[in-house]
């Protein structure tokens, strides 16, 4: 994950995708055991956020930085913002800009300035995920979950004075097996 984060700081988009059967540890790998900042229990998303903030803080070439984050759930072909600006549900749609870039219309991108702010939003979003009890576990996530960091980094005049824009996405894909084989009976 470190090389993908470094590339995002240099203007490249990147994705880390967790795929596998229910109970294989996809969600735990990406999000950790808890959303608390305990180094032993945090996941790849929290470690990446920590890395990004530290790298930006210690870079002499970055004059200004803006980091935004979004939390998208895809479940049964429906898109849902897990950290919307308001409490009202608004349907989301996939759109394409004139430059060819694909985006989700209506998805909130919350500006964050610290790891603590990311953890707070991540905790809020995780509490809204669609889960179900299965033979593999009492609380199995059944949706695809995408956490995306949007970076806008303004380089110093000495470093060229240009702006780098990139995205770093973390995808937790729902279990790869057929659901009828996984439903908990009794």
């Amino acid at each position: 994950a470190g090389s993908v984060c470094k590339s995002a700081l240099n203007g490249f988009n990147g994705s880390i995708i967790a795929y596998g059967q229910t109970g294989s540890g996809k969600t735990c790998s990406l999000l950790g055991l808890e959303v608390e900042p305990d180094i032993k229990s945090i996941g790849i998303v929290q470690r990446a956020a920590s890395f990004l903030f530290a790298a930006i803080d210690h870079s002499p070439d970055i004059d200004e930085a803006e980091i935004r984050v979004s939390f998208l759930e895809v479940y049964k072909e429906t898109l849902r913002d897990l950290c919307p600006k308001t409490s009202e549900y608004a349907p989301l749609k996939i759109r394409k800009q004139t430059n060819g870039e694909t985006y989700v219309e209506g998805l909130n991108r919350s500006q964050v300035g610290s790891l603590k702010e990311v953890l707070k939003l991540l905790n809020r979003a995780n509490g809204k995920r669609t889960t179900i009890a299965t033979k593999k576990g009492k609380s199995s996530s059944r949706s695809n979950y995408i956490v995306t960091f949007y970076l806008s980094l303004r380089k110093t005049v000495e470093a060229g004075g240009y702006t780098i824009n990139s995205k770093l996405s973390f995808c937790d894909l729902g279990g790869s097996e057929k659901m009828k084989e996984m439903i908990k009976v009794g």
Side-chain angles (χ1 to χ4, degrees):
S3 63
V4 178
C5 291
K6 287 177 188 173
S7 293
L9 291 169
N10 290 311
F12 294 95
N13 296 333
S15 297
I16 296 175
I17 301 169
Y19 171 81
Q21 289 189 328
T22 297
S24 63
K26 301 176 301 294
T27 301
C28 184
S29 293
L30 281 181
L31 304 174
L33 298 172
E34 306 169 11
V35 188
E36 296 300 320
D38 174 5
I39 195 68
K40 294 177 185 176
S41 64
I42 64 173
I44 295 169
V45 173
Q46 296 94 325
R47 291 173 194 269
S50 179
F51 174 85
L52 292 173
F53 285 113
I56 290 167
D57 286 345
H58 294 98
S59 174
D61 295 339
I62 297 175
D63 198 27
E64 290 179 40
E66 180 180 283
I67 300 177
R68 293 186 176 273
V69 64
S70 66
F71 303 88
L72 177 67
E73 178 180 60
V74 182
Y75 181 64
K76 293 186 177 181
E77 300 184 27
T78 300
L79 306 175
R80 194 166 72 124
D81 188 342
L82 297 179
C83 277
K85 288 181 183 176
T86 66
S87 59
E88 295 178 26
Y89 171 76
L92 303 175
K93 294 185 180 181
I94 298 174
R95 299 283 188 219
K96 195 174 221 180
Q97 294 179 341
T98 55
N99 66 2
E101 184 178 335
T102 304
Y103 70 101
V104 178
E105 183 180 58
L107 181 63
N108 184 36
R109 296 178 180 184
S110 300
Q111 187 167 349
V112 290
S114 68
L115 178 59
K116 186 176 182 177
E117 290 177 17
V118 171
L119 295 176
K120 182 179 176 182
L121 291 171
L122 190 58
N123 210 2
R124 182 173 147 203
N126 287 342
K128 295 181 180 181
R129 285 192 73 185
T130 302
T131 60
I132 190 171
T134 68
K135 292 177 183 176
K136 296 274 187 174
K138 66 179 181 178
S139 181
S140 176
S141 56
R142 302 312 315 153
S143 62
N144 299 312
Y145 181 40
I146 305 165
V147 178
T148 303
F149 291 89
Y150 306 85
L151 307 176
S152 183
L153 309 174
R154 177 86 177 145
K155 294 290 191 168
T156 62
V157 174
E158 296 81 20
Y162 56 91
T163 300
I164 293 175
N165 293 305
S166 60
K167 291 187 284 189
L168 182 56
S169 298
F170 300 87
C171 306
D172 181 10
L173 300 179
S176 60
E177 65 288 319
K178 292 181 180 178
M179 194 60 210
K180 68 180 181 180
E181 297 170 7
M182 295 303 301
I183 298 291
K184 189 173 185 177
V185 181

